[in-house]
Amino acid sequence: MSQTMSQTPAVLFVCLGNICRSPLAEAAFRAAAERAQMTVEVDSAGLGRWHLGYPPDPRAQAVARRNGIDISERRARQIREEDFHRFDYVIGLDSENLAGLRRLCPANARASVSLLLDHVQGRAGQSVTDPYYEDDAAFDDAWRDACEGAEGLIAKLKKDMK
Ligand code: 4NP
């Protein structure tokens, strides 16, 4: 365990709008933590402010529902500086998100900033493709990537906590 990490890991997933990919990553990670019987703090946020206060995109809600999870109550919010002090991990969904997070991250941050698929063996550096202008299949792909990332992250946290 790193020196600053608390017993309850706090993880923030971040995409552009906080209406498609990061709410899916949040839901997938919460479910993976539950399966692993791990207590975690988890949230998601967007770099942009276009969708503040909005529920997830109906296509994101639908793919979560197809996988047994209701995300309809979530509301989009924008990342703020205090998030880098509150969360142990701030995780971007794509490489542009990661670049934006690195620009915003204060020097004395608590958070370690990374890319979701960096936590999946053989997928380091890969982005979760933005499905916003795509079809339902793209949302299925985003869900699958979110689940792979969530499982990889749980495995890493378990190892770190030993
Ligand atoms: P997200 O998807 O970043 O996965 O929430 C997007 C949502 C909205 C826009 C782009 C991506 N947009 O351009 O409004």
Side-chain angles (χ1 to χ4, degrees), residues 7-99:
Q7 281 305 112
T8 301
V11 181
L12 180 70
F13 296 100
V14 181
C15 61
L16 190 57
N18 193 211
I19 57 166
C20 298
R21 292 165 292 172
S22 59
L24 293 179
E26 178 189 345
F29 182 70
R30 191 170 277 126
E34 212 169 295
R35 282 194 297 275
Q37 298 185 306
M38 270 181 71
T39 304
V40 295
E41 188 188 334
V42 56
D43 196 7
S44 64
L47 283 151
R49 37 181 305 114
W50 310 283
H51 305 281
L52 297 188
Y54 280 78
D57 185 284
R59 299 163 296 171
Q61 291 190 42
V63 73
R65 206 178 311 115
R66 285 199 290 283
N67 289 278
I69 302 175
D70 180 1
I71 60 168
S72 61
E73 296 302 313
R74 235 223 80 71
R75 295 295 177 266
R77 74 167 179 92
Q78 191 175 31
I79 190 165
R80 37 184 187 264
E81 181 167 336
E82 69 185 55
D83 289 320
F84 293 98
H85 301 299
R86 185 176 143 212
F87 290 90
D88 299 301
Y89 294 93
V90 173
I91 299 183
L93 273 283
D94 71 22
S95 55
E96 275 183 43
N97 306 152
L98 181 65

Coordinates of all heavy atoms in Angstrom, one line a residue, residues 7-99:
Q7 N -7.4 2.9 3.9 CA -7.9 1.5 3.9 C -9.1 1.4 2.9 O -9.3 0.3 2.4 CB -8.3 1.1 5.3 CG -7.2 0.7 6.2 CD -6.3 -0.4 5.6 OE1 -5.2 -0.1 5.3 NE2 -6.9 -1.6 5.5
T8 N -9.8 2.4 2.8 CA -10.9 2.4 1.8 C -10.5 3.2 0.6 O -10.4 4.4 0.6 CB -12.2 3.1 2.4 OG1 -12.6 2.4 3.6 CG2 -13.3 3.1 1.4
P9 N -10.1 2.5 -0.5 CA -9.6 3.2 -1.6 C -10.7 4.1 -2.3 O -11.8 3.7 -2.4 CB -9.2 2.1 -2.6 CG -9.3 0.8 -1.9 CD -10.1 1.1 -0.7
A10 N -10.3 5.3 -2.6 CA -11.3 6.2 -3.2 C -10.9 6.5 -4.7 O -9.8 6.8 -5.0 CB -11.3 7.6 -2.5
V11 N -11.8 6.2 -5.6 CA -11.5 6.2 -7.0 C -12.5 7.1 -7.8 O -13.7 6.9 -7.6 CB -11.6 4.7 -7.6 CG1 -11.3 4.7 -9.1 CG2 -10.7 3.8 -6.8
L12 N -12.0 7.9 -8.6 CA -12.8 8.8 -9.4 C -12.6 8.5 -10.9 O -11.4 8.6 -11.3 CB -12.5 10.3 -9.1 CG -13.3 11.3 -9.9 CD1 -14.7 11.4 -9.5 CD2 -12.7 12.7 -9.7
F13 N -13.6 8.2 -11.6 CA -13.5 8.0 -13.1 C -13.9 9.3 -13.8 O -14.9 9.9 -13.5 CB -14.4 6.8 -13.5 CG -14.0 5.5 -12.9 CD1 -14.6 5.0 -11.8 CD2 -12.9 4.8 -13.4 CE1 -14.2 3.8 -11.2 CE2 -12.5 3.6 -12.8 CZ -13.2 3.1 -11.7
V14 N -13.1 9.6 -14.8 CA -13.3 10.9 -15.5 C -13.3 10.7 -17.0 O -12.4 10.1 -17.6 CB -12.2 11.9 -15.1 CG1 -12.5 13.2 -15.8 CG2 -12.2 12.1 -13.6
C15 N -14.4 11.2 -17.7 CA -14.4 11.3 -19.1 C -14.7 12.7 -19.5 O -14.5 13.6 -18.7 CB -15.4 10.3 -19.7 SG -17.1 10.6 -19.2
L16 N -15.2 12.9 -20.7 CA -15.4 14.3 -21.2 C -16.7 14.9 -20.6 O -16.7 15.9 -20.0 CB -15.4 14.3 -22.7 CG -15.4 15.7 -23.4 CD1 -14.2 16.5 -22.9 CD2 -15.4 15.5 -24.9
G17 N -17.8 14.1 -20.8 CA -19.1 14.7 -20.5 C -19.7 14.2 -19.2 O -20.7 14.8 -18.7
N18 N -19.2 13.1 -18.6 CA -19.7 12.4 -17.5 C -21.2 11.9 -17.7 O -22.0 11.9 -16.8 CB -19.6 13.3 -16.2 CG -19.9 12.6 -14.9 OD1 -20.4 13.1 -13.9 ND2 -19.6 11.3 -14.8
I19 N -21.5 11.6 -19.0 CA -22.8 11.1 -19.2 C -22.8 9.7 -19.9 O -23.8 9.0 -20.1 CB -23.7 12.0 -20.0 CG1 -23.1 12.4 -21.3 CG2 -24.1 13.2 -19.2 CD1 -24.0 13.1 -22.3
C20 N -21.6 9.3 -20.4 CA -21.5 8.0 -21.1 C -20.5 7.1 -20.4 O -20.8 6.2 -19.6 CB -21.1 8.2 -22.6 SG -22.3 9.1 -23.5
R21 N -19.2 7.3 -20.7 CA -18.2 6.3 -20.2 C -17.9 6.3 -18.7 O -17.8 5.2 -18.1 CB -16.9 6.6 -21.0 CG -17.0 6.3 -22.5 CD -15.8 6.8 -23.3 NE -15.9 8.3 -23.3 CZ -15.0 9.1 -23.7 NH1 -13.8 8.6 -24.2 NH2 -15.1 10.4 -23.7
S22 N -17.7 7.5 -18.1 CA -17.3 7.5 -16.7 C -18.4 7.0 -15.8 O -18.2 6.2 -14.8 CB -16.7 8.8 -16.2 OG -17.6 9.8 -16.4
P23 N -19.7 7.3 -16.1 CA -20.8 6.6 -15.2 C -20.8 5.1 -15.4 O -21.1 4.4 -14.5 CB -22.1 7.2 -15.8 CG -21.7 8.5 -16.4 CD -20.3 8.2 -17.0
L24 N -20.4 4.6 -16.6 CA -20.4 3.2 -16.8 C -19.2 2.6 -16.0 O -19.3 1.5 -15.4 CB -20.2 2.8 -18.3 CG -21.5 3.1 -19.2 CD1 -21.2 2.8 -20.6 CD2 -22.7 2.4 -18.7
A25 N -18.0 3.3 -16.1 CA -16.9 2.8 -15.3 C -17.2 2.8 -13.8 O -16.8 1.8 -13.1 CB -15.7 3.6 -15.6
E26 N -17.9 3.8 -13.4 CA -18.2 3.9 -12.0 C -19.1 2.7 -11.6 O -18.9 2.0 -10.6 CB -19.0 5.2 -11.7 CG -19.4 5.4 -10.3 CD -20.4 6.6 -10.1 OE1 -20.4 7.5 -10.9 OE2 -21.0 6.6 -9.0
A27 N -20.1 2.4 -12.4 CA -21.1 1.3 -12.1 C -20.3 0.0 -12.2 O -20.5 -0.9 -11.3 CB -22.2 1.4 -13.1
A28 N -19.5 -0.2 -13.2 CA -18.8 -1.5 -13.3 C -17.8 -1.7 -12.2 O -17.7 -2.8 -11.6 CB -18.0 -1.5 -14.6
F29 N -17.2 -0.6 -11.7 CA -16.2 -0.7 -10.6 C -16.9 -1.0 -9.3 O -16.5 -1.8 -8.5 CB -15.4 0.6 -10.5 CG -14.3 0.5 -9.4 CD1 -13.2 -0.3 -9.6 CD2 -14.5 1.3 -8.3 CE1 -12.3 -0.4 -8.6 CE2 -13.5 1.2 -7.3 CZ -12.4 0.4 -7.4
R30 N -18.1 -0.3 -9.1 CA -18.8 -0.6 -7.9 C -19.3 -2.1 -7.8 O -19.2 -2.7 -6.8 CB -20.1 0.4 -7.8 CG -20.7 0.4 -6.5 CD -21.8 1.5 -6.4 NE -21.2 2.7 -6.0 CZ -21.4 3.9 -6.7 NH1 -22.1 3.9 -7.8 NH2 -20.9 5.0 -6.3
A31 N -19.7 -2.6 -9.0 CA -20.2 -4.0 -9.0 C -19.0 -4.9 -8.8 O -19.1 -5.9 -8.1 CB -20.8 -4.3 -10.4
A32 N -17.8 -4.6 -9.4 CA -16.7 -5.5 -9.2 C -16.2 -5.5 -7.8 O -15.8 -6.5 -7.2 CB -15.5 -5.0 -10.2
A33 N -16.2 -4.3 -7.1 CA -15.8 -4.2 -5.7 C -16.8 -5.0 -4.8 O -16.3 -5.7 -3.9 CB -15.8 -2.7 -5.3
E34 N -18.1 -5.0 -5.2 CA -19.0 -5.7 -4.4 C -18.8 -7.2 -4.5 O -18.8 -7.9 -3.5 CB -20.4 -5.4 -4.9 CG -21.5 -5.4 -3.8 CD -22.8 -4.9 -4.3 OE1 -22.8 -3.6 -4.6 OE2 -23.8 -5.6 -4.5
R35 N -18.5 -7.7 -5.7 CA -18.2 -9.1 -6.0 C -17.0 -9.5 -5.2 O -16.9 -10.6 -4.7 CB -18.0 -9.4 -7.5 CG -19.3 -9.5 -8.3 CD -19.0 -10.1 -9.6 NE -18.1 -9.3 -10.5 CZ -18.5 -8.2 -11.2 NH1 -19.8 -7.9 -11.3 NH2 -17.7 -7.5 -11.9
A36 N -16.0 -8.6 -5.1 CA -14.7 -8.9 -4.4 C -14.8 -8.6 -2.9 O -13.8 -8.8 -2.2 CB -13.6 -8.0 -5.0
Q37 N -16.0 -8.2 -2.5 CA -16.3 -7.8 -1.1 C -15.3 -6.8 -0.6 O -14.7 -6.9 0.5 CB -16.2 -9.1 -0.2 CG -17.4 -10.1 -0.6 CD -17.4 -11.3 0.3 OE1 -16.4 -12.0 0.5 NE2 -18.6 -11.5 0.8
M38 N -15.0 -5.8 -1.4 CA -14.1 -4.7 -1.0 C -14.9 -3.5 -0.8 O -15.8 -3.2 -1.6 CB -13.1 -4.4 -2.2 CG -11.9 -5.2 -2.1 SD -10.8 -4.8 -3.5 CE -10.3 -3.2 -3.0
T39 N -14.6 -2.7 0.2 CA -15.2 -1.4 0.5 C -14.4 -0.4 -0.3 O -13.2 -0.2 -0.1 CB -15.2 -1.1 2.0 OG1 -15.8 -2.2 2.7 CG2 -16.0 0.2 2.3
V40 N -15.1 0.4 -1.1 CA -14.5 1.4 -1.9 C -15.4 2.7 -1.9 O -16.6 2.6 -1.7 CB -14.3 1.0 -3.4 CG1 -13.3 -0.2 -3.5 CG2 -15.6 0.6 -4.1
E41 N -14.7 3.8 -2.1 CA -15.5 5.0 -2.4 C -15.3 5.3 -3.9 O -14.2 5.2 -4.4 CB -14.9 6.2 -1.6 CG -15.7 7.4 -1.6 CD -15.0 8.6 -1.0 OE1 -14.2 8.4 -0.1 OE2 -15.3 9.7 -1.4
V42 N -16.4 5.5 -4.6 CA -16.3 5.7 -6.0 C -17.2 6.8 -6.5 O -18.3 6.9 -6.0 CB -16.5 4.3 -6.7 CG1 -17.9 3.7 -6.4 CG2 -16.5 4.4 -8.3
D43 N -16.8 7.5 -7.5 CA -17.6 8.6 -8.1 C -17.1 8.8 -9.5 O -16.1 8.1 -9.9 CB -17.4 9.9 -7.3 CG -18.5 10.9 -7.6 OD1 -19.4 10.6 -8.3 OD2 -18.3 12.1 -7.1
S44 N -17.8 9.6 -10.3 CA -17.3 9.9 -11.6 C -17.6 11.4 -11.9 O -18.4 12.0 -11.2 CB -18.0 9.1 -12.7 OG -19.4 9.3 -12.7
A45 N -16.8 11.9 -12.9 CA -16.9 13.4 -13.2 C -16.5 13.6 -14.6 O -16.0 12.7 -15.3 CB -16.0 14.2 -12.2
G46 N -16.8 14.8 -15.1 CA -16.5 15.1 -16.5 C -15.5 16.2 -16.5 O -15.4 17.0 -15.6
L47 N -14.7 16.3 -17.6 CA -13.8 17.5 -17.7 C -14.6 18.7 -18.3 O -14.3 19.8 -17.9 CB -12.7 17.1 -18.7 CG -11.6 16.2 -18.1 CD1 -10.9 15.4 -19.1 CD2 -10.6 17.1 -17.4
G48 N -15.6 18.4 -19.0 CA -16.4 19.5 -19.6 C -17.6 19.8 -18.7 O -17.9 19.1 -17.8
R49 N -18.3 20.9 -19.1 CA -19.4 21.3 -18.3 C -20.8 21.4 -19.1 O -21.8 21.8 -18.6 CB -19.1 22.7 -17.6 CG -18.4 23.7 -18.4 CD -18.2 25.0 -17.7 NE -19.4 25.5 -17.2 CZ -19.7 25.7 -15.9 NH1 -18.9 25.3 -14.9 NH2 -20.9 26.1 -15.5
W50 N -20.8 20.8 -20.3 CA -22.0 20.9 -21.1 C -23.2 20.2 -20.5 O -24.3 20.5 -20.7 CB -21.8 20.2 -22.5 CG -20.6 20.7 -23.2 CD1 -20.5 22.0 -23.8 CD2 -19.3 20.1 -23.3 NE1 -19.2 22.1 -24.3 CE2 -18.5 20.9 -24.0 CE3 -18.8 18.8 -22.9 CZ2 -17.2 20.6 -24.3 CZ3 -17.5 18.5 -23.2 CH2 -16.7 19.4 -23.9
H51 N -23.0 19.1 -19.7 CA -24.1 18.2 -19.3 C -24.3 18.3 -17.8 O -24.9 17.4 -17.2 CB -23.8 16.8 -19.8 CG -23.6 16.7 -21.2 ND1 -24.6 16.7 -22.2 CD2 -22.5 16.6 -21.9 CE1 -24.1 16.6 -23.4 NE2 -22.8 16.6 -23.3
L52 N -23.8 19.3 -17.1 CA -23.9 19.4 -15.7 C -25.3 19.2 -15.2 O -26.2 19.8 -15.7 CB -23.4 20.7 -15.1 CG -21.9 21.1 -15.4 CD1 -21.5 22.3 -14.7 CD2 -21.0 19.9 -15.0
G53 N -25.5 18.3 -14.2 CA -26.8 18.0 -13.6 C -27.7 17.1 -14.4 O -28.8 16.7 -14.0
Y54 N -27.2 16.6 -15.6 CA -28.0 15.7 -16.4 C -27.8 14.3 -16.0 O -26.7 13.9 -15.6 CB -27.6 15.9 -17.9 CG -28.2 17.0 -18.6 CD1 -27.7 18.3 -18.4 CD2 -29.3 16.9 -19.4 CE1 -28.3 19.4 -19.0 CE2 -29.9 18.0 -20.0 CZ -29.4 19.2 -19.8 OH -30.0 20.3 -20.4
P55 N -28.8 13.4 -16.2 CA -28.6 12.0 -16.0 C -27.7 11.4 -17.1 O -27.5 12.1 -18.2 CB -30.0 11.4 -16.1 CG -30.8 12.4 -16.8 CD -30.2 13.8 -16.6
P56 N -27.3 10.2 -17.0 CA -26.5 9.6 -18.1 C -27.3 9.5 -19.4 O -28.5 9.4 -19.3 CB -26.2 8.2 -17.5 CG -26.2 8.3 -16.0 CD -27.3 9.3 -15.8
D57 N -26.6 9.5 -20.5 CA -27.2 9.4 -21.8 C -28.1 8.1 -21.8 O -27.7 7.1 -21.2 CB -26.0 9.2 -22.8 CG -26.5 9.1 -24.2 OD1 -27.0 8.0 -24.6 OD2 -26.3 10.1 -25.0
P58 N -29.3 8.2 -22.4 CA -30.2 7.0 -22.4 C -29.5 5.7 -22.9 O -29.9 4.7 -22.4 CB -31.3 7.5 -23.4 CG -31.2 9.0 -23.4 CD -29.8 9.4 -23.1
R59 N -28.6 5.9 -23.8 CA -27.9 4.6 -24.3 C -27.0 4.1 -23.3 O -26.8 2.8 -23.2 CB -27.2 5.0 -25.6 CG -28.1 5.4 -26.7 CD -27.4 6.1 -27.8 NE -26.7 7.3 -27.4 CZ -25.8 8.0 -28.1 NH1 -25.5 7.6 -29.3 NH2 -25.3 9.1 -27.6
A60 N -26.4 4.9 -22.4 CA -25.5 4.4 -21.3 C -26.4 3.8 -20.3 O -26.1 2.7 -19.7 CB -24.7 5.6 -20.8
Q61 N -27.5 4.5 -20.0 CA -28.5 3.9 -19.0 C -28.9 2.5 -19.5 O -29.0 1.6 -18.7 CB -29.7 4.8 -18.8 CG -29.4 6.1 -18.2 CD -30.7 6.8 -17.8 OE1 -31.7 6.2 -17.4 NE2 -30.7 8.1 -18.0
A62 N -29.2 2.4 -20.8 CA -29.7 1.1 -21.4 C -28.7 0.0 -21.3 O -29.0 -1.1 -20.9 CB -30.1 1.3 -22.8
V63 N -27.4 0.3 -21.6 CA -26.4 -0.8 -21.5 C -26.2 -1.2 -20.1 O -26.0 -2.4 -19.8 CB -25.1 -0.4 -22.3 CG1 -24.3 0.6 -21.5 CG2 -24.3 -1.7 -22.5
A64 N -26.2 -0.3 -19.2 CA -26.1 -0.6 -17.7 C -27.3 -1.5 -17.3 O -27.1 -2.5 -16.7 CB -26.0 0.6 -16.9
R65 N -28.5 -1.1 -17.7 CA -29.7 -1.9 -17.4 C -29.6 -3.3 -18.0 O -30.0 -4.2 -17.3 CB -30.9 -1.1 -17.9 CG -32.2 -1.4 -17.1 CD -33.4 -0.7 -17.6 NE -33.2 0.8 -17.7 CZ -33.2 1.4 -18.8 NH1 -33.5 0.8 -20.0 NH2 -33.0 2.7 -18.9
R66 N -29.1 -3.4 -19.2 CA -29.0 -4.7 -19.8 C -28.1 -5.6 -19.0 O -28.1 -6.8 -19.1 CB -28.4 -4.6 -21.3 CG -29.4 -4.1 -22.3 CD -28.9 -4.5 -23.7 NE -27.8 -3.7 -24.2 CZ -27.8 -2.5 -24.6 NH1 -28.9 -1.8 -24.6 NH2 -26.7 -1.9 -25.1
N67 N -27.2 -4.9 -18.2 CA -26.2 -5.7 -17.4 C -26.6 -5.6 -15.9 O -25.8 -5.9 -15.0 CB -24.8 -5.2 -17.6 CG -24.3 -5.6 -19.0 OD1 -23.8 -6.7 -19.2 ND2 -24.5 -4.7 -20.0
G68 N -27.9 -5.3 -15.7 CA -28.4 -5.4 -14.3 C -28.2 -4.3 -13.4 O -28.3 -4.4 -12.2
I69 N -27.8 -3.1 -13.9 CA -27.4 -2.0 -13.0 C -28.2 -0.7 -13.5 O -28.3 -0.4 -14.6 CB -25.9 -1.7 -13.1 CG1 -25.1 -2.9 -12.7 CG2 -25.6 -0.5 -12.2 CD1 -23.6 -2.8 -12.8
D70 N -28.8 -0.1 -12.5 CA -29.6 1.1 -12.7 C -28.7 2.3 -12.4 O -28.3 2.5 -11.3 CB -30.8 1.1 -11.8 CG -31.7 2.3 -11.9 OD1 -31.4 3.2 -12.8 OD2 -32.7 2.4 -11.2
I71 N -28.4 3.1 -13.4 CA -27.6 4.3 -13.2 C -28.4 5.6 -13.5 O -27.9 6.7 -13.6 CB -26.3 4.3 -14.1 CG1 -26.6 4.3 -15.6 CG2 -25.4 3.2 -13.7 CD1 -25.4 4.6 -16.5
S72 N -29.7 5.4 -13.5 CA -30.6 6.6 -13.9 C -30.6 7.7 -12.9 O -30.9 8.9 -13.2 CB -32.0 6.1 -14.1 OG -32.5 5.6 -12.8
E73 N -30.2 7.4 -11.6 CA -30.2 8.5 -10.6 C -28.9 9.3 -10.6 O -28.8 10.4 -9.9 CB -30.4 7.9 -9.2 CG -31.7 7.2 -9.0 CD -32.9 8.1 -9.2 OE1 -32.9 9.2 -8.7 OE2 -33.8 7.7 -10.0
R74 N -27.9 8.9 -11.4 CA -26.6 9.7 -11.4 C -26.8 11.0 -12.1 O -27.6 11.1 -13.0 CB -25.6 8.9 -12.2 CG -24.4 8.6 -11.6 CD -23.1 8.7 -12.4 NE -22.6 10.1 -12.5 CZ -22.1 10.8 -11.5 NH1 -22.0 10.3 -10.3 NH2 -21.7 12.0 -11.7
R75 N -26.1 12.0 -11.6 CA -26.2 13.3 -12.3 C -24.7 13.7 -12.6 O -23.8 13.6 -11.8 CB -26.8 14.3 -11.4 CG -28.3 14.0 -11.1 CD -29.1 14.1 -12.4 NE -30.5 13.7 -12.2 CZ -31.1 12.5 -12.4 NH1 -30.3 11.5 -12.8 NH2 -32.3 12.3 -12.2
A76 N -24.6 14.3 -13.8 CA -23.2 14.7 -14.2 C -22.7 15.9 -13.4 O -23.4 16.8 -13.0 CB -23.2 15.1 -15.7
R77 N -21.4 15.8 -13.1 CA -20.7 16.9 -12.5 C -19.3 17.1 -13.1 O -18.8 16.2 -13.8 CB -20.6 16.7 -11.0 CG -19.5 15.6 -10.6 CD -19.3 15.7 -9.1 NE -18.3 14.8 -8.5 CZ -17.0 15.1 -8.3 NH1 -16.5 16.2 -8.8 NH2 -16.2 14.2 -7.8
Q78 N -18.8 18.3 -12.9 CA -17.4 18.6 -13.4 C -16.4 18.3 -12.4 O -16.6 18.6 -11.2 CB -17.4 20.0 -13.9 CG -16.2 20.4 -14.7 CD -16.2 21.8 -15.2 OE1 -16.8 22.7 -14.6 NE2 -15.6 22.0 -16.4
I79 N -15.2 17.8 -12.8 CA -14.1 17.6 -11.9 C -13.7 19.0 -11.3 O -13.7 20.0 -12.0 CB -12.9 16.9 -12.5 CG1 -11.9 16.5 -11.5 CG2 -12.3 17.7 -13.7 CD1 -10.9 15.4 -12.0
R80 N -13.2 19.0 -10.0 CA -12.7 20.2 -9.4 C -11.4 19.9 -8.7 O -11.1 18.7 -8.4 CB -13.8 20.8 -8.5 CG -14.6 19.8 -7.7 CD -15.6 20.5 -6.8 NE -16.2 19.5 -6.0 CZ -17.4 18.8 -6.3 NH1 -18.0 19.1 -7.4 NH2 -17.8 17.9 -5.5
E81 N -10.7 20.9 -8.4 CA -9.3 20.7 -7.8 C -9.4 19.8 -6.6 O -8.5 19.0 -6.4 CB -8.6 22.0 -7.6 CG -7.2 21.8 -7.0 CD -6.4 23.0 -7.0 OE1 -6.6 24.0 -7.8 OE2 -5.4 23.0 -6.2
E82 N -10.3 20.0 -5.7 CA -10.3 19.2 -4.5 C -10.4 17.7 -4.7 O -10.0 16.9 -3.9 CB -11.5 19.7 -3.6 CG -12.9 19.3 -4.1 CD -14.0 19.9 -3.2 OE1 -14.0 21.1 -3.0 OE2 -14.8 19.1 -2.8
D83 N -10.9 17.3 -5.9 CA -11.0 15.9 -6.2 C -9.6 15.2 -6.2 O -9.5 14.1 -5.8 CB -11.7 15.7 -7.6 CG -13.2 16.0 -7.6 OD1 -13.8 15.6 -6.6 OD2 -13.6 16.5 -8.6
F84 N -8.6 16.0 -6.6 CA -7.3 15.5 -6.6 C -6.7 15.3 -5.2 O -5.7 14.6 -5.0 CB -6.3 16.4 -7.4 CG -6.7 16.4 -8.9 CD1 -7.4 17.4 -9.4 CD2 -6.2 15.4 -9.8 CE1 -7.8 17.4 -10.8 CE2 -6.6 15.4 -11.1 CZ -7.3 16.4 -11.6
H85 N -7.3 15.9 -4.2 CA -6.9 15.7 -2.8 C -7.7 14.7 -2.1 O -7.3 14.2 -1.1 CB -7.0 17.1 -2.1 CG -6.1 18.1 -2.7 ND1 -4.7 18.0 -2.8 CD2 -6.4 19.3 -3.3 CE1 -4.2 19.1 -3.5 NE2 -5.3 19.9 -3.7
R86 N -8.9 14.5 -2.6 CA -9.9 13.6 -1.9 C -9.8 12.1 -2.4 O -10.0 11.2 -1.6 CB -11.3 14.1 -2.3 CG -12.4 13.4 -1.6 CD -13.7 14.0 -1.8 NE -14.7 13.0 -2.0 CZ -15.8 13.0 -2.7 NH1 -16.0 14.0 -3.5 NH2 -16.6 12.0 -2.7
F87 N -9.4 11.9 -3.7 CA -9.4 10.6 -4.2 C -8.0 10.0 -4.3 O -7.0 10.8 -4.6 CB -10.0 10.5 -5.6 CG -11.5 10.8 -5.6 CD1 -12.1 12.0 -5.6 CD2 -12.4 9.7 -5.4 CE1 -13.4 12.2 -5.6 CE2 -13.8 9.9 -5.3 CZ -14.3 11.1 -5.4
D88 N -7.8 8.7 -4.1 CA -6.5 8.1 -4.3 C -6.2 7.9 -5.7 O -5.0 7.9 -6.1 CB -6.5 6.7 -3.6 CG -6.8 6.8 -2.1 OD1 -6.0 7.5 -1.4 OD2 -7.8 6.2 -1.6
Y89 N -7.2 7.6 -6.5 CA -7.0 7.3 -8.0 C -8.0 8.2 -8.7 O -9.2 8.2 -8.5 CB -7.3 5.9 -8.3 CG -6.3 4.9 -7.7 CD1 -6.5 4.3 -6.5 CD2 -5.0 4.7 -8.3 CE1 -5.6 3.5 -5.9 CE2 -4.1 3.8 -7.7 CZ -4.4 3.2 -6.5 OH -3.5 2.4 -5.9
V90 N -7.4 9.0 -9.7 CA -8.3 9.7 -10.6 C -7.9 9.1 -12.0 O -6.8 9.1 -12.4 CB -8.0 11.2 -10.6 CG1 -8.7 12.0 -11.7 CG2 -8.4 11.8 -9.2
I91 N -8.9 8.5 -12.6 CA -8.7 7.7 -13.8 C -9.4 8.2 -15.0 O -10.7 8.2 -15.0 CB -9.1 6.2 -13.4 CG1 -8.3 5.8 -12.2 CG2 -8.9 5.3 -14.6 CD1 -8.5 4.4 -11.8
G92 N -8.7 8.5 -16.0 CA -9.2 9.0 -17.3 C -9.7 7.8 -18.2 O -9.0 6.7 -18.1
L93 N -10.7 8.0 -19.0 CA -11.2 7.0 -19.8 C -10.5 6.9 -21.2 O -10.4 5.9 -21.8 CB -12.7 7.1 -20.0 CG -13.7 6.5 -19.0 CD1 -13.7 5.0 -19.2 CD2 -13.2 6.7 -17.5
D94 N -10.0 8.1 -21.6 CA -9.2 8.1 -22.9 C -8.0 9.0 -22.7 O -7.8 9.6 -21.7 CB -10.1 8.4 -24.1 CG -10.5 9.9 -24.2 OD1 -9.9 10.7 -23.5 OD2 -11.5 10.1 -24.9
S95 N -7.1 8.9 -23.7 CA -5.8 9.6 -23.6 C -6.0 11.1 -23.6 O -5.2 11.8 -22.9 CB -4.9 9.2 -24.7 OG -5.5 9.4 -26.0
E96 N -7.1 11.6 -24.2 CA -7.3 13.1 -24.1 C -7.8 13.5 -22.7 O -7.4 14.5 -22.1 CB -8.4 13.5 -25.1 CG -7.9 13.8 -26.4 CD -9.0 14.3 -27.4 OE1 -9.8 15.1 -26.9 OE2 -9.0 13.8 -28.5
N97 N -8.6 12.6 -22.1 CA -9.0 12.8 -20.7 C -7.8 12.8 -19.8 O -7.6 13.7 -18.9 CB -10.0 11.7 -20.2 CG -11.2 11.5 -21.0 OD1 -11.7 10.4 -21.0 ND2 -11.7 12.5 -21.7
L98 N -6.9 11.9 -20.1 CA -5.7 11.8 -19.2 C -4.8 13.0 -19.3 O -4.4 13.6 -18.3 CB -4.9 10.5 -19.7 CG -3.6 10.3 -18.9 CD1 -3.9 9.9 -17.4 CD2 -2.8 9.1 -19.6
A99 N -4.7 13.5 -20.6 CA -3.9 14.8 -20.8 C -4.5 15.9 -20.0 O -3.9 16.7 -19.4 CB -3.8 15.1 -22.2

